[in-house]
Amino acid sequence: MVVMKFGGTSVTDRPAIERLIAIVRAQRQADAQEEGGDARGPIVIVSALSKVTDRLLGIAAEAGAGDIEGALNNLRDLRARHITVSDVVTDGALRQPVLAFLNHEFDQLERIVQALGVLREVSPRWLDTLAATGEILSSRIVAAALSSHGIEGSWVDARLAVVTDGDHTQAAPLFPETTAALMQQVDPQLAAGRVPVLGGFVGATREGVTTTLGRGGSDYSAAIVGACLGAGEIQIWTDVDGMLTADPRIVAQPQVVPHLSFAEASELAYFGAKVLHPATIQPAVARDIPVRILNSQRAEARGTLITSQRPPSGRPLTAIASKKAVTVVDITSSRMLMAHGFLRRLFEVFEKFRTSVDVVTTSEVSVSVTVDDRRRLPAIIEALSEFAEVRCEHDMAIVCAVGEGLQNEPSLAGEVLLGVGEVPLRMVSQAASRRNVTFVIREADLPGALSQLHDRFFAPEPAPAGAQ
Ligand code: ASP
Ligand code: MG
Protein backbone atom coordinates (compact mmCIF):
# COMPACT_ATOMS: atom_id res chain seq x y z
CA MET A 1 0.00 0.00 0.00
CA VAL A 2 1.28 3.41 -1.02
CA VAL A 3 0.85 6.80 0.69
CA MET A 4 0.74 9.68 -1.82
CA LYS A 5 1.20 13.19 -0.50
CA PHE A 6 0.41 16.16 -2.74
CA GLY A 7 1.81 19.58 -1.83
CA GLY A 8 0.06 22.93 -2.21
CA THR A 9 1.00 23.51 -5.85
CA SER A 10 -0.26 20.00 -6.71
CA VAL A 11 -3.80 20.84 -5.51
CA THR A 12 -3.86 24.57 -6.19
CA ASP A 13 -6.54 24.68 -8.90
CA ARG A 14 -8.78 22.50 -11.03
CA PRO A 15 -6.10 21.41 -13.56
CA ALA A 16 -3.75 20.50 -10.69
CA ILE A 17 -6.40 18.35 -9.01
CA GLU A 18 -7.21 16.71 -12.34
CA ARG A 19 -3.53 15.79 -12.67
CA LEU A 20 -3.67 14.39 -9.13
CA ILE A 21 -6.63 12.22 -10.10
CA ALA A 22 -4.76 10.86 -13.13
CA ILE A 23 -1.76 10.06 -10.94
CA VAL A 24 -3.90 8.24 -8.36
CA ARG A 25 -5.67 6.33 -11.11
CA ALA A 26 -2.36 5.17 -12.61
CA GLN A 27 -1.17 4.05 -9.16
CA ARG A 28 -4.36 2.04 -8.63
CA GLN A 29 -3.98 0.38 -12.00
CA ALA A 30 -0.35 -0.50 -11.31
CA ASP A 31 -1.28 -1.91 -7.88
CA ALA A 32 -4.16 -3.93 -9.28
CA GLN A 33 -1.92 -5.41 -11.93
CA GLU A 34 0.72 -6.32 -9.38
CA GLU A 35 -1.76 -7.91 -7.02
CA GLY A 36 -3.69 -9.58 -9.80
CA GLY A 37 -7.00 -8.31 -8.48
CA ASP A 38 -8.49 -5.33 -6.73
CA ALA A 39 -6.24 -2.49 -5.68
CA ARG A 40 -5.98 -1.42 -2.04
CA GLY A 41 -5.38 2.24 -1.60
CA PRO A 42 -3.52 4.42 -2.12
CA ILE A 43 -3.94 6.72 0.87
CA VAL A 44 -3.91 10.34 -0.30
CA ILE A 45 -2.66 13.19 1.87
CA VAL A 46 -2.97 16.78 0.69
CA SER A 47 -1.67 20.20 1.67
CA ALA A 48 -3.85 23.26 1.62
CA LEU A 49 -4.21 24.93 -1.80
CA SER A 50 -0.99 26.81 -2.52
CA LYS A 51 -0.45 29.91 -0.28
CA VAL A 52 -3.66 29.32 1.71
CA THR A 53 -1.88 28.65 5.01
CA ASP A 54 0.02 31.93 4.65
CA ARG A 55 -3.26 33.72 3.98
CA LEU A 56 -4.95 32.14 7.00
CA LEU A 57 -2.07 33.14 9.26
CA GLY A 58 -2.28 36.66 7.79
CA ILE A 59 -5.98 36.73 8.62
CA ALA A 60 -5.19 35.64 12.16
CA ALA A 61 -2.67 38.47 12.46
CA GLU A 62 -5.24 40.99 11.20
CA ALA A 63 -7.80 39.75 13.69
CA GLY A 64 -5.22 39.96 16.48
CA ALA A 65 -4.56 43.57 15.51
CA GLY A 66 -8.28 44.34 15.62
CA ASP A 67 -8.57 44.76 11.83
CA ILE A 68 -11.81 42.81 11.50
CA GLU A 69 -12.71 44.35 8.14
CA GLY A 70 -9.39 43.37 6.62
CA ALA A 71 -9.62 39.84 7.96
CA LEU A 72 -13.18 39.39 6.66
CA ASN A 73 -12.20 40.71 3.23
CA ASN A 74 -9.41 38.20 2.98
CA LEU A 75 -11.74 35.41 4.13
CA ARG A 76 -14.17 36.36 1.36
CA ASP A 77 -11.37 35.97 -1.19
CA LEU A 78 -10.44 32.59 0.19
CA ARG A 79 -14.04 31.41 0.17
CA ALA A 80 -14.43 32.45 -3.46
CA ARG A 81 -11.20 30.69 -4.44
CA HIS A 82 -12.27 27.42 -2.80
CA ILE A 83 -15.69 27.57 -4.36
CA THR A 84 -14.11 28.08 -7.80
CA VAL A 85 -11.73 25.17 -7.31
CA SER A 86 -14.57 22.90 -6.24
CA ASP A 87 -15.75 23.00 -9.87
CA VAL A 88 -13.37 20.07 -10.20
CA VAL A 89 -16.14 18.06 -8.54
CA THR A 90 -18.00 17.74 -11.81
CA ASP A 91 -20.84 15.62 -10.51
CA GLY A 92 -23.47 18.09 -9.25
CA ALA A 93 -24.84 15.66 -6.68
CA LEU A 94 -21.37 15.40 -5.14
CA ARG A 95 -20.59 19.09 -5.48
CA GLN A 96 -23.59 20.27 -3.46
CA PRO A 97 -22.45 18.73 -0.15
CA VAL A 98 -18.92 20.02 -0.74
CA LEU A 99 -20.21 23.57 -1.26
CA ALA A 100 -22.34 23.27 1.86
CA PHE A 101 -19.28 22.11 3.79
CA LEU A 102 -17.11 24.96 2.47
CA ASN A 103 -19.73 27.56 3.28
CA HIS A 104 -20.28 26.17 6.73
CA GLU A 105 -16.52 26.24 7.47
CA PHE A 106 -16.16 29.80 6.17
CA ASP A 107 -19.24 31.00 8.09
CA GLN A 108 -17.64 29.61 11.21
CA LEU A 109 -14.26 31.19 10.41
CA GLU A 110 -15.98 34.56 10.03
CA ARG A 111 -17.47 34.25 13.48
CA ILE A 112 -14.15 33.21 14.97
CA VAL A 113 -12.33 36.07 13.29
CA GLN A 114 -14.90 38.57 14.56
CA ALA A 115 -14.54 37.30 18.11
CA LEU A 116 -10.75 37.32 17.95
CA GLY A 117 -10.83 40.81 16.45
CA VAL A 118 -12.79 42.07 19.43
CA LEU A 119 -10.47 40.34 21.89
CA ARG A 120 -7.45 41.47 19.87
CA GLU A 121 -5.64 38.35 20.84
CA VAL A 122 -4.98 35.12 18.97
CA SER A 123 -3.76 32.32 21.19
CA PRO A 124 -1.72 29.46 19.68
CA ARG A 125 -4.79 27.29 20.07
CA TRP A 126 -6.94 29.57 17.91
CA LEU A 127 -4.09 30.03 15.48
CA ASP A 128 -4.11 26.25 14.93
CA THR A 129 -7.88 26.18 14.45
CA LEU A 130 -7.56 28.82 11.74
CA ALA A 131 -4.46 27.39 10.04
CA ALA A 132 -5.86 23.84 9.98
CA THR A 133 -8.83 24.93 7.88
CA GLY A 134 -6.73 25.02 4.69
CA GLU A 135 -6.07 21.28 4.77
CA ILE A 136 -9.55 20.39 6.02
CA LEU A 137 -11.04 22.14 2.99
CA SER A 138 -8.56 20.92 0.36
CA SER A 139 -8.91 17.30 1.49
CA ARG A 140 -12.69 17.49 1.40
CA ILE A 141 -12.59 18.84 -2.17
CA VAL A 142 -10.07 16.26 -3.38
CA ALA A 143 -12.01 13.35 -1.88
CA ALA A 144 -15.17 14.41 -3.72
CA ALA A 145 -13.21 15.15 -6.90
CA LEU A 146 -11.89 11.58 -6.97
CA SER A 147 -15.42 10.22 -6.53
CA SER A 148 -16.78 12.38 -9.30
CA HIS A 149 -14.04 11.03 -11.60
CA GLY A 150 -14.81 7.39 -11.04
CA ILE A 151 -12.44 6.62 -8.15
CA GLU A 152 -14.32 6.29 -4.91
CA GLY A 153 -12.68 8.78 -2.56
CA SER A 154 -13.44 8.90 1.12
CA TRP A 155 -12.74 12.00 3.20
CA VAL A 156 -11.04 11.23 6.51
CA ASP A 157 -11.01 14.05 9.04
CA ALA A 158 -7.33 14.30 10.06
CA ARG A 159 -8.44 15.58 13.47
CA LEU A 160 -9.85 12.12 14.15
CA ALA A 161 -6.88 10.25 12.71
CA VAL A 162 -3.67 11.97 13.85
CA VAL A 163 -3.36 12.27 17.63
CA THR A 164 -0.78 14.75 18.96
CA ASP A 165 0.42 16.39 22.14
CA GLY A 166 -0.86 19.87 22.97
CA ASP A 167 2.16 21.83 21.76
CA HIS A 168 0.16 24.13 19.49
CA THR A 169 1.66 25.17 16.11
CA GLN A 170 4.46 22.62 16.60
CA ALA A 171 2.61 19.53 17.87
CA ALA A 172 4.29 16.11 18.03
CA PRO A 173 2.43 12.94 17.06
CA LEU A 174 1.58 10.29 19.65
CA PHE A 175 2.33 7.14 17.71
CA PRO A 176 0.38 4.42 19.54
CA GLU A 177 -2.76 6.57 19.70
CA THR A 178 -2.38 7.62 16.07
CA THR A 179 -1.95 4.02 14.92
CA ALA A 180 -5.14 3.02 16.72
CA ALA A 181 -7.05 6.00 15.32
CA LEU A 182 -5.83 5.39 11.77
CA MET A 183 -6.82 1.74 11.95
CA GLN A 184 -10.29 2.83 12.93
CA GLN A 185 -10.66 5.67 10.42
CA VAL A 186 -8.66 4.48 7.43
CA ASP A 187 -8.58 0.70 7.38
CA PRO A 188 -12.31 0.18 6.77
CA GLN A 189 -12.13 2.59 3.80
CA LEU A 190 -9.21 0.69 2.31
CA ALA A 191 -10.94 -2.62 2.88
CA ALA A 192 -13.99 -1.32 1.01
CA GLY A 193 -11.79 -0.39 -1.97
CA ARG A 194 -12.06 3.34 -1.37
CA VAL A 195 -9.25 5.90 -1.47
CA PRO A 196 -8.96 7.66 1.90
CA VAL A 197 -8.07 11.36 1.60
CA LEU A 198 -6.69 13.22 4.62
CA GLY A 199 -5.48 16.76 5.11
CA GLY A 200 -1.82 16.90 6.07
CA PHE A 201 -0.35 19.24 8.70
CA VAL A 202 -3.39 18.78 10.97
CA GLY A 203 -4.09 16.69 14.05
CA ALA A 204 -5.84 16.95 17.37
CA THR A 205 -5.05 16.25 21.00
CA ARG A 206 -6.54 13.28 22.87
CA GLU A 207 -9.24 15.71 24.00
CA GLY A 208 -10.02 16.59 20.38
CA VAL A 209 -8.51 20.09 20.31
CA THR A 210 -7.18 20.93 16.82
CA THR A 211 -3.39 21.14 16.48
CA THR A 212 -0.89 21.59 13.65
CA LEU A 213 2.47 19.92 13.14
CA GLY A 214 4.51 23.00 12.12
CA ARG A 215 4.95 24.73 8.75
CA GLY A 216 5.47 22.35 5.88
CA GLY A 217 3.98 19.66 8.11
CA SER A 218 2.12 17.75 5.40
CA ASP A 219 5.25 15.76 4.57
CA TYR A 220 5.42 14.87 8.23
CA SER A 221 1.78 13.73 8.14
CA ALA A 222 2.58 11.46 5.20
CA ALA A 223 5.50 9.92 7.06
CA ILE A 224 3.45 9.48 10.24
CA VAL A 225 0.57 7.81 8.42
CA GLY A 226 2.93 5.64 6.37
CA ALA A 227 4.89 4.58 9.43
CA CYS A 228 1.80 3.84 11.55
CA LEU A 229 0.16 1.76 8.83
CA GLY A 230 3.33 0.10 7.52
CA ALA A 231 3.11 1.54 3.98
CA GLY A 232 5.23 0.00 1.23
CA GLU A 233 6.23 3.41 -0.12
CA ILE A 234 5.59 7.09 0.53
CA GLN A 235 5.42 9.41 -2.46
CA ILE A 236 5.88 13.15 -2.03
CA TRP A 237 4.37 14.80 -5.11
CA THR A 238 5.67 18.32 -5.58
CA ASP A 239 6.53 20.77 -8.38
CA VAL A 240 10.17 19.85 -9.04
CA ASP A 241 11.72 16.72 -10.51
CA GLY A 242 13.46 15.72 -7.28
CA MET A 243 16.63 16.59 -5.39
CA LEU A 244 19.21 18.12 -7.72
CA THR A 245 22.97 17.71 -7.84
CA ALA A 246 23.37 21.50 -7.29
CA ASP A 247 21.37 24.71 -7.00
CA PRO A 248 19.83 25.33 -10.46
CA ARG A 249 20.09 29.10 -9.92
CA ILE A 250 23.87 28.78 -9.85
CA VAL A 251 24.80 25.74 -11.92
CA ALA A 252 23.69 25.57 -15.54
CA GLN A 253 22.65 21.94 -15.83
CA PRO A 254 22.18 20.18 -12.53
CA GLN A 255 20.86 16.62 -12.69
CA VAL A 256 18.24 14.87 -10.63
CA VAL A 257 19.79 12.62 -7.99
CA PRO A 258 18.10 9.24 -8.53
CA HIS A 259 18.81 7.73 -5.11
CA LEU A 260 19.89 9.26 -1.80
CA SER A 261 20.50 7.78 1.61
CA PHE A 262 18.58 9.44 4.40
CA ALA A 263 21.83 10.76 5.90
CA GLU A 264 22.81 12.34 2.58
CA ALA A 265 19.38 13.96 2.26
CA SER A 266 19.76 15.40 5.76
CA GLU A 267 23.19 16.87 5.03
CA LEU A 268 21.97 18.42 1.78
CA ALA A 269 18.86 19.92 3.30
CA TYR A 270 20.90 21.48 6.07
CA PHE A 271 22.68 23.66 3.57
CA GLY A 272 19.77 24.74 1.50
CA ALA A 273 18.40 21.96 -0.74
CA LYS A 274 14.83 22.90 0.12
CA VAL A 275 12.77 20.23 -1.61
CA LEU A 276 11.88 18.44 1.59
CA HIS A 277 12.93 18.66 5.17
CA PRO A 278 14.40 15.23 5.94
CA ALA A 279 13.48 15.43 9.63
CA THR A 280 9.86 15.29 8.54
CA ILE A 281 10.26 11.90 6.85
CA GLN A 282 12.27 10.42 9.72
CA PRO A 283 9.38 8.26 11.04
CA ALA A 284 9.19 6.56 7.64
CA VAL A 285 12.91 6.09 7.23
CA ALA A 286 13.18 4.68 10.75
CA ARG A 287 10.82 1.92 9.60
CA ASP A 288 12.66 1.40 6.35
CA ILE A 289 9.85 2.73 4.20
CA PRO A 290 11.20 4.22 0.95
CA VAL A 291 10.27 7.84 0.27
CA ARG A 292 10.07 9.05 -3.31
CA ILE A 293 10.00 12.70 -4.43
CA LEU A 294 8.02 13.14 -7.66
CA ASN A 295 6.82 15.98 -9.89
CA SER A 296 3.03 16.15 -10.29
CA GLN A 297 3.49 18.23 -13.46
CA ARG A 298 5.79 15.65 -15.03
CA ALA A 299 4.54 12.38 -13.63
CA GLU A 300 6.73 10.41 -16.03
CA ALA A 301 10.00 11.70 -14.51
CA ARG A 302 11.67 9.18 -12.22
CA GLY A 303 12.14 11.47 -9.26
CA THR A 304 14.42 10.95 -6.28
CA LEU A 305 14.25 7.95 -4.00
CA ILE A 306 15.35 8.27 -0.37
CA THR A 307 16.03 5.14 1.69
CA SER A 308 17.89 4.56 4.94
CA GLN A 309 20.78 2.90 3.04
CA ARG A 310 21.48 3.00 -0.65
CA PRO A 311 23.47 0.83 -3.04
CA PRO A 312 26.68 2.32 -4.53
CA SER A 313 25.86 4.66 -7.39
CA GLY A 314 29.13 4.45 -9.29
CA ARG A 315 29.59 8.16 -8.71
CA PRO A 316 31.91 9.50 -6.05
CA LEU A 317 29.69 12.42 -4.99
CA THR A 318 25.92 12.51 -4.63
CA ALA A 319 25.27 16.25 -4.73
CA ILE A 320 26.69 19.63 -3.77
CA ALA A 321 24.71 21.98 -1.55
CA SER A 322 25.53 25.64 -1.10
CA LYS A 323 24.42 28.52 1.02
CA LYS A 324 24.98 32.23 0.41
CA ALA A 325 24.97 35.27 2.69
CA VAL A 326 27.00 33.64 5.40
CA THR A 327 29.19 35.47 7.92
CA VAL A 328 32.45 34.00 9.22
CA VAL A 329 33.28 34.93 12.80
CA ASP A 330 36.92 34.43 13.85
CA ILE A 331 37.38 34.25 17.60
CA THR A 332 40.91 34.30 18.99
CA SER A 333 41.63 33.71 22.66
CA SER A 334 43.18 36.85 24.14
CA ARG A 335 45.49 34.68 26.22
CA MET A 336 48.35 33.11 24.33
CA LEU A 337 47.20 29.53 24.76
CA MET A 338 43.76 28.18 24.49
CA ALA A 339 42.77 28.10 28.13
CA HIS A 340 40.50 25.24 28.96
CA GLY A 341 36.90 26.29 29.12
CA PHE A 342 37.40 28.63 26.14
CA LEU A 343 35.19 26.62 23.82
CA ARG A 344 32.49 26.29 26.43
CA ARG A 345 32.42 30.06 27.06
CA LEU A 346 32.42 30.72 23.35
CA PHE A 347 29.49 28.48 22.52
CA GLU A 348 27.58 29.68 25.55
CA VAL A 349 27.53 33.10 23.95
CA PHE A 350 25.91 31.74 20.77
CA GLU A 351 23.48 29.75 22.85
CA LYS A 352 22.58 32.77 24.97
CA PHE A 353 21.74 34.76 21.85
CA ARG A 354 19.95 31.80 20.26
CA THR A 355 22.05 31.88 17.11
CA SER A 356 23.08 28.61 15.55
CA VAL A 357 26.42 28.10 13.90
CA ASP A 358 26.81 25.91 10.82
CA VAL A 359 30.48 25.24 10.18
CA VAL A 360 33.15 25.24 12.89
CA THR A 361 36.92 24.99 12.53
CA THR A 362 39.55 25.34 15.23
CA SER A 363 43.27 25.88 15.55
CA GLU A 364 45.40 26.16 18.65
CA VAL A 365 44.33 29.65 19.61
CA SER A 366 41.42 30.50 17.42
CA VAL A 367 38.02 29.24 16.40
CA SER A 368 36.09 30.17 13.27
CA VAL A 369 32.36 29.66 12.96
CA THR A 370 29.79 30.57 10.34
CA VAL A 371 26.38 32.06 11.06
CA ASP A 372 23.65 32.99 8.64
CA ASP A 373 21.36 34.79 11.05
CA ARG A 374 23.02 38.15 11.68
CA ARG A 375 20.30 39.71 13.77
CA ARG A 376 22.07 39.24 17.11
CA LEU A 377 25.60 39.44 15.81
CA PRO A 378 26.45 42.83 17.40
CA ALA A 379 25.45 41.54 20.84
CA ILE A 380 27.36 38.31 20.24
CA ILE A 381 30.51 40.19 19.26
CA GLU A 382 30.26 42.35 22.34
CA ALA A 383 29.90 39.33 24.63
CA LEU A 384 32.76 37.45 22.94
CA SER A 385 35.01 40.50 23.16
CA GLU A 386 35.11 40.11 26.94
CA PHE A 387 37.50 37.20 26.57
CA ALA A 388 38.59 37.05 22.93
CA GLU A 389 39.46 39.05 19.86
CA VAL A 390 36.69 38.90 17.31
CA ARG A 391 36.74 39.53 13.58
CA CYS A 392 33.84 39.14 11.14
CA GLU A 393 33.77 38.66 7.42
CA HIS A 394 30.46 39.00 5.62
CA ASP A 395 29.34 37.91 2.14
CA MET A 396 30.78 34.43 2.38
CA ALA A 397 29.32 31.16 1.09
CA ILE A 398 29.31 27.56 2.30
CA VAL A 399 29.80 24.71 -0.14
CA CYS A 400 29.01 21.22 1.08
CA ALA A 401 29.89 18.23 -1.11
CA VAL A 402 27.96 15.16 -0.01
CA GLY A 403 28.42 11.52 -0.86
CA GLU A 404 28.62 8.14 0.82
CA GLY A 405 31.72 7.63 -1.34
CA LEU A 406 33.68 10.06 0.85
CA GLN A 407 33.77 7.40 3.55
CA ASN A 408 35.58 4.84 1.46
CA GLU A 409 37.82 6.79 -0.88
CA PRO A 410 40.55 8.52 1.08
CA SER A 411 41.67 10.77 -1.77
CA LEU A 412 38.23 12.03 -2.68
CA ALA A 413 38.10 14.87 -0.14
CA GLY A 414 41.34 16.23 -1.57
CA GLU A 415 39.99 15.97 -5.09
CA VAL A 416 36.94 17.99 -4.07
CA LEU A 417 39.10 20.78 -2.72
CA LEU A 418 41.28 20.75 -5.83
CA GLY A 419 38.11 20.85 -7.88
CA VAL A 420 37.47 24.52 -7.08
CA GLY A 421 40.77 25.58 -8.64
CA GLU A 422 42.38 28.82 -7.50
CA VAL A 423 39.55 30.02 -5.29
CA PRO A 424 40.82 30.79 -1.77
CA LEU A 425 39.33 28.51 0.89
CA ARG A 426 38.48 30.36 4.07
CA MET A 427 37.48 27.36 6.22
CA VAL A 428 37.51 23.61 5.55
CA SER A 429 35.82 20.89 7.55
CA GLN A 430 35.08 17.22 7.26
CA ALA A 431 32.53 15.88 9.71
CA ALA A 432 32.85 12.69 11.70
CA SER A 433 30.33 10.99 9.45
CA ARG A 434 32.83 11.55 6.61
CA ARG A 435 29.85 11.85 4.34
CA ASN A 436 30.59 15.45 3.45
CA VAL A 437 33.38 17.91 2.83
CA THR A 438 32.39 21.44 3.65
CA PHE A 439 34.25 24.60 2.89
CA VAL A 440 33.72 28.33 3.03
CA ILE A 441 34.63 30.74 0.22
CA ARG A 442 33.77 34.30 -0.75
CA GLU A 443 30.25 34.62 -2.06
CA ALA A 444 31.61 36.32 -5.17
CA ASP A 445 33.59 33.14 -5.93
CA LEU A 446 30.59 30.83 -5.51
CA PRO A 447 29.20 30.69 -9.08
CA GLY A 448 32.58 29.90 -10.61
CA ALA A 449 33.71 27.47 -7.93
CA LEU A 450 30.44 25.58 -7.80
CA SER A 451 30.16 25.25 -11.57
CA GLN A 452 33.74 24.04 -11.83
CA LEU A 453 33.23 21.49 -9.08
CA HIS A 454 29.96 20.34 -10.57
CA ASP A 455 31.47 19.90 -14.05
CA ARG A 456 34.23 17.81 -12.58
CA PHE A 457 32.03 15.41 -10.63
CA PHE A 458 28.77 15.45 -12.56
CA ALA A 459 29.75 15.47 -16.22
CA PRO A 460 26.70 14.32 -18.16
CA GLU A 461 26.87 10.58 -18.68
CA PRO A 462 27.87 9.67 -22.24
CA ALA A 463 24.99 8.13 -24.15
CA PRO A 464 25.33 4.32 -24.15
CA ALA A 465 26.81 2.89 -27.34
CA GLY A 466 24.18 2.29 -29.98
CA ALA A 467 21.71 4.70 -28.37
CA GLN A 468 19.81 6.99 -30.72
N1 ASP B 1 -0.06 23.98 4.46
C1 ASP B 1 0.98 23.86 5.44
C2 ASP B 1 2.03 24.92 5.23
O1 ASP B 1 1.96 25.67 4.26
C3 ASP B 1 1.57 22.50 5.48
C4 ASP B 1 2.20 22.01 4.19
O2 ASP B 1 1.90 22.50 3.11
O3 ASP B 1 3.00 21.08 4.25
O4 ASP B 1 2.92 25.04 6.01
MG1 MG C 1 4.61 22.46 1.48
Side-chain angles (χ1 to χ4, degrees), residues 329-331 338 342-343 346-347 359-369 426-430:
V329 186
D330 295 314
I331 305 141
M338 180 126 67
F342 177 63
L343 284 180
L346 189 162
F347 284 113
V359 186
V360 181
T361 59
T362 66
S363 74
E364 183 82 84
V365 291
S366 72
V367 176
S368 299
V369 304
R426 183 68 167 66
M427 293 166 65
V428 178
S429 120
Q430 181 167 39

Side-chain angles (χ1 to χ4, degrees), residues 239-253:
D239 53 6
V240 294
D241 282 352
M243 289 256 203
L244 296 175
T245 47
D247 186 338
R249 291 163 301 185
I250 302 177
V251 167
Q253 280 186 316

Side-chain angles (χ1 to χ4, degrees), residues 314-435:
R315 271 192 163 161
L317 289 186
T318 302
I320 311 168
S322 55
K323 191 169 181 174
K324 292 204 262 190
V326 166
T327 297
V328 172
V329 186
D330 295 314
I331 305 141
T332 307
S333 170
S334 4
R335 301 200 212 152
M336 273 311 283
L337 289 174
M338 180 126 67
H340 88 147
F342 177 63
L343 284 180
R344 180 179 51 75
R345 284 185 77 179
L346 189 162
F347 284 113
E348 270 170 8
V349 171
F350 286 94
E351 147 121 63
K352 179 171 168 208
F353 292 100
R354 295 193 314 281
T355 296
S356 59
V357 305
D358 286 336
V359 186
V360 181
T361 59
T362 66
S363 74
E364 183 82 84
V365 291
S366 72
V367 176
S368 299
V369 304
T370 65
V371 300
D372 65 355
D373 177 359
R374 282 159 55 167
R375 281 171 302 168
R376 302 184 194 87
L377 206 49
I380 290 171
I381 293 170
E382 195 184 318
L384 289 171
S385 298
E386 284 174 21
F387 58 93
E389 273 165 39
V390 185
R391 218 166 51 101
C392 286
E393 210 171 333
H394 302 301
D395 302 323
M396 306 297 280
I398 298 173
V399 178
C400 174
V402 172
E404 299 282 356
L406 284 157
Q407 293 188 67
N408 314 321
E409 289 169 53
S411 60
L412 187 54
E415 264 176 65
V416 169
L417 298 178
L418 286 174
V420 295
E422 303 289 280
V423 168
L425 303 177
R426 183 68 167 66
M427 293 166 65
V428 178
S429 120
Q430 181 167 39
S433 70
R434 290 200 288 129
R435 212 174 270 112

Side-chain angles (χ1 to χ4, degrees), residues 5 7-8 47-48 53-54 135 200-201 214-219:
K5 179 259 166 173
S47 288
T53 310
D54 289 336
E135 269 74 4
F201 177 56
R215 293 308 306 272
S218 294
D219 293 342

